[in-house]
Amino acid sequence: MPARNILVINCGSSSIKFALVNEAHSQFALSGLAERLGHHDAVLHWQRGGERDSLMIPSGDHRTALAQLLPLVQAAAGGKLHGIGHRVVHGGEHFTTARRLDPAVMQAIRATIPLAPLHNPANLQGIEAALKLFPDLPHVAVFDTAFHQTLPEHAYRYALAESLYREHGVRRYGFHGTSHRFVSQRGAELAGLSVGDSSWLVAHLGNGCSTCAVVNGQSRDTSMGLTPLEGLVMGTRSGDVDPNLHGHLARVLGWSLERIDTLLNKESGLLGLSGLSNDMRSLEQARAQGHAGAAIAIEVFCYRLAKSLAAMSCALPHLDGLIFTGGIGENSPLVRSKTLAHLSLLNLALDKHANARTIGGVAGAIHAPGHPRVLVVPTNEERQIALDTLALLH
Ligand code: ADP
């Protein structure tokens, strides 16, 4: 059978990220981004082979962008597209694996909107547009939360009345599941272990950041919760704060819920701490030039990450290794070394040279000899979504 092509789509409220994945090749045949959808300056950017191009689609919506994409995808796939994989952020407790899209699955995704009021409607918008444009292809939904449905109850319950859980779904769900699953499998391969018989700590550090404890290929705990705000310091998200902060800001400053939501999700994290940027690369440069805000932002980021990894270790029977992934995890020797400096109690230590050279999409081991494994594993959520889609085509 010739290698098959899957189009992977990730829709935000005003954007679509896409990649055409061929099962036989690690490079994407086509990839890109449509952004500012619905605005006068909406634009589609794509990359094919070494070439980049873009097209203005003034006031274009998700459907317009996908329609413009159609001939590009057909050309890059040589007319042979086998299915479409959709990233869906929240599958609630309903979805424990990827699912072929049909009216019942669409309805269950719709029913999960109260848990992800920003993300799931955008994902559905993209799914509906793609179903109209590609009605004859199989469509598969792959959920960010599904991998974490194996958390034991003591890890996913909040210390709140049971009725809030049973009647309103208030529990910890976790996100980034596709990435944690992909890199824990790749990490086990790199280490020559079976993923079904190994235990990992994973740090996914991108704009959003989360840790995960993976035992025998299953998620046993993770740092994000009911929403992706819980846990680590992120680009613009605060991560954990005192749960009384909402009440405090409302009482002391008279702030509304919306104002506090914006503060915690969009104005905090690395951006809030540094007063400069949400981007780790910019912060590393500013720190090197003596910017105090950038320096403290990186210190807090690494200390809180180390604390979370230590907490995740409670879910492991033993440690086969720690995996770094995501834009920061794959590219920042500074963050990796500062984080591990707080984890000497777990006997973790880095090889300085291996740490410095394992950047830019390179996978490899960076631990000092005689210490537990520390691996850098580039994530590839698009590829995992394509593989999940292919698995459901039969
Ligand atoms: P997303 O979550 O949007 O997919 P990425 O996984 O691409 O994000 O990660 C983005 C983060 O990775 C940004 O903070 C960016 O600064 C950081 N990053 C990328 N390259 C480097 C680098 N060379 N050094 C430090 N940080 C980097």
Side-chain angles (χ1 to χ4, degrees):
M1 184 166 50
R4 293 161 299 175
N5 292 302
I6 298 295
L7 177 64
V8 175
I9 296 177
N10 178 1
C11 283
S13 56
S14 63
S15 70
I16 304 176
K17 283 190 198 156
F18 57 89
L20 180 64
V21 182
N22 181 284
E23 62 183 328
H25 301 290
S26 55
Q27 298 286 352
F28 301 144
L30 174 79
S31 62
L33 167 74
E35 56 184 348
R36 300 192 290 276
L37 296 174
H39 297 271
H40 69 279
D41 53 352
V43 59
L44 175 66
H45 304 281
W46 68 92
Q47 177 171 354
R48 188 180 167 191
E51 294 185 11
R52 291 165 183 273
D53 213 337
S54 56
L55 176 74
M56 295 303 296
I57 41 172
S59 304
D61 59 7
H62 290 75
R63 178 123 189 237
T64 321
L66 286 173
Q68 294 291 349
L69 195 55
L70 190 65
L72 297 172
V73 171
Q74 293 296 8
K80 294 192 187 74
L81 188 59
H82 296 82
I84 304 206
H86 297 267
R87 176 186 182 213
V88 178
V89 168
H90 216 309
E93 289 190 329
H94 195 89
F95 295 107
T96 56
T97 56
R99 292 285 289 279
R100 189 98 171 230
L101 278 158
D102 61 22
V105 169
M106 296 278 286
Q107 185 47 37
I109 298 174
R110 231 170 260 124
T112 312
I113 287 177
L115 291 171
L118 297 179
H119 290 107
N120 275 24
N123 297 155
L124 279 165
Q125 217 176 339
I127 291 171
E128 279 158 5
L131 282 168
K132 288 204 180 96
L133 283 167
F134 303 93
D136 300 327
L137 287 178
H139 291 249
V140 169
V142 180
F143 302 89
D144 263 24
T145 49
F147 182 55
H148 302 299
Q149 280 298 303
T150 47
L151 257 60
E153 189 168 358
H154 63 253
Y156 72 68
R157 286 286 298 279
Y158 289 113
L160 296 170
E162 189 183 8
S163 57
L164 281 172
Y165 166 51
R166 300 266 174 233
E167 291 161 31
H168 303 287
V170 177
R171 53 158 282 180
R172 309 184 62 254
Y173 291 94
F175 300 85
H176 291 145
T178 308
S179 176
H180 288 299
R181 184 157 53 100
F182 181 82
V183 300
S184 52
Q185 280 166 3
R186 286 281 301 123
E189 279 166 31
L190 276 175
L193 298 172
S194 151
V195 73
D197 188 17
S198 55
S199 299
W200 302 92
L201 292 174
V202 182
H204 173 106
L205 311 174
N207 280 308
C209 300
S210 67
T211 54
C212 186
V214 183
V215 179
N216 301 341
Q218 295 189 334
S219 174
R220 291 289 166 79
D221 201 356
T222 189
S223 59
M224 285 177 166
L226 175 72
T227 76
L229 183 59
E230 187 174 332
L232 305 178
V233 174
M234 313 184 205
T236 60
R237 294 184 204 134
S238 61
D240 292 341
V241 290
D242 186 323
N244 267 330
L245 184 63
H246 274 78
H248 180 77
L249 292 176
R251 277 191 302 276
V252 174
L253 300 176
W255 282 16
S256 66
L257 267 184
E258 288 69 28
R259 179 71 195 90
I260 299 169
D261 269 0
T262 303
L263 170 85
L264 296 178
N265 284 287
K266 305 228 164 95
E267 300 168 358
S268 300
L270 293 173
L271 175 65
L273 276 164
S274 67
L276 184 69
S277 172
N278 64 325
D279 188 280
M280 185 57 87
R281 201 172 355 189
S282 309
L283 293 182
E284 288 192 15
Q285 284 159 4
R287 172 183 172 274
Q289 289 158 8
H291 191 287
I296 190 62
I298 293 171
E299 294 302 327
V300 176
F301 182 92
C302 296
Y303 180 63
R304 290 267 300 269
L305 169 59
K307 267 194 2 179
S308 175
L309 289 167
M312 287 297 136
S313 73
C314 296
L316 302 184
H318 62 269
L319 179 65
D320 284 309
L322 163 62
I323 298 172
F324 281 104
T325 193
I328 300 172
E330 294 166 28
N331 292 296
S332 177
L334 180 75
V335 167
R336 297 187 303 230
S337 71
K338 280 191 170 292
T339 303
L340 288 217
H342 296 298
L343 287 169
S344 51
L345 213 59
L346 292 182
N347 196 28
L348 292 162
L350 291 183
D351 176 300
K352 208 170 151 191
H353 299 294
N355 185 34
R357 68 173 177 263
T358 311
I359 53 171
V362 173
I366 58 170
H367 52 280
H371 290 267
R373 265 183 214 92
V374 182
L375 304 177
V376 176
V377 180
T379 193
N380 192 336
E381 288 162 282
E382 293 81 3
R383 186 161 188 83
Q384 185 64 61
I385 292 172
L387 294 175
D388 289 351
T389 304
L390 284 166
L392 287 179
L393 296 194
H394 302 294

